[in-house]
Amino acid sequence: MNRAHANPLRAGFTLLELLVTVSILAILMGLIVPVFSHMKQNARIAADKVTAKNLETAFRAYLDHYSTWPSSIGANEKNIEGDLYEMLRGDKGPYNQDGINFYEFSNTNTGDKAVDSFWDPNEPDNERVFRAQFDHDYDNTISHAGGDIQRPVIVWGVGPDGKNGTADDITSW
């Protein structure tokens, strides 16, 4: 048969086959994309758990070296930013007179805050900063969220919802 006189029905079936194939691919993408999104969120949560634990370890190393917390830190929860951030990073100052680098902050952190992996530089709020609370009477007990935690320091992040004090907070304890 001459190609110039191809069967028009065959061309129609080819278009129908293409539409079916595209539809199947669209359905598969609709199923796969949420799975990858969930996997990405789980990876961020896992990374933040490691970071919270490592920040706690860095604060413990600070306490081992200096044998005391700076009095100006206080017993209430604090964002790990400014002086606390500089203290761990090794900047010489009133909190770290020996200039010891207790924690190597990743390049994803801002210049003065320990932010979590959900942090977006385009978000205007400051909620994505890890927090710490210290045992100032050195009895190895910190009262936090209505309970006592047996540690010299605790560190946590706000988790996926971005709100402090909710069930999805990511903690070091």
Side-chain angles (χ1 to χ4, degrees):
M1 174 184 240
N2 186 347
R3 288 203 178 259
H5 300 288
N7 185 347
L9 284 178
R10 183 64 193 139
F13 284 122
T14 304
L15 181 59
L16 181 61
E17 291 169 353
L18 179 62
L19 287 174
V20 168
T21 303
V22 169
S23 298
I24 291 171
L25 288 173
I27 290 169
L28 288 174
M29 288 301 291
L31 296 172
I32 292 172
V33 168
V35 169
F36 282 121
S37 176
H38 186 68
M39 288 172 58
K40 185 176 180 180
Q41 180 170 325
N42 285 345
R44 286 178 170 181
I45 290 169
D48 285 351
K49 284 180 181 180
V50 169
T51 300
K53 192 65 178 167
N54 287 343
L55 285 166
E56 178 186 332
T57 301
F59 280 119
R60 285 174 175 236
Y62 176 93
L63 184 60
D64 285 346
H65 180 76
Y66 288 107
S67 301
T68 187
W69 298 118
S71 60
S72 58
I73 287 178
N76 296 327
E77 70 179 64
K78 303 279 188 206
N79 285 349
I80 301 175
E81 61 185 356
D83 290 339
L84 286 180
Y85 184 89
E86 292 170 1
M87 176 177 98
L88 291 181
R89 187 174 60 191
D91 295 355
K92 267 193 156 187
Y95 287 177
N96 192 345
Q97 295 173 357
D98 295 337
I100 297 171
N101 185 355
F102 292 101
Y103 188 82
E104 187 70 39
F105 289 94
S106 70
N107 59 1
T108 59
N109 279 280
T110 65
D112 65 348
K113 299 177 197 168
V115 297
D116 70 13
S117 64
F118 293 93
W119 180 73
D120 180 354
N122 299 318
E123 285 182 11
D125 65 13
N126 194 21
E127 285 296 307
R128 293 286 179 191
V129 177
F130 280 97
R131 292 165 169 72
Q133 191 172 345
F134 303 88
D135 170 28
H136 270 279
D137 58 6
Y138 304 100
D139 66 352
N140 208 38
T141 303
I142 297 173
S143 294
H144 178 78
D148 288 340
I149 301 166
Q150 304 300 312
R151 295 191 185 282
V153 59
I154 58 174
V155 176
W156 69 97
V158 295
D161 71 356
K163 296 177 183 154
N164 188 27
T166 59
D168 74 340
D169 284 0
I170 297 168
T171 63
S172 66
W173 61 96

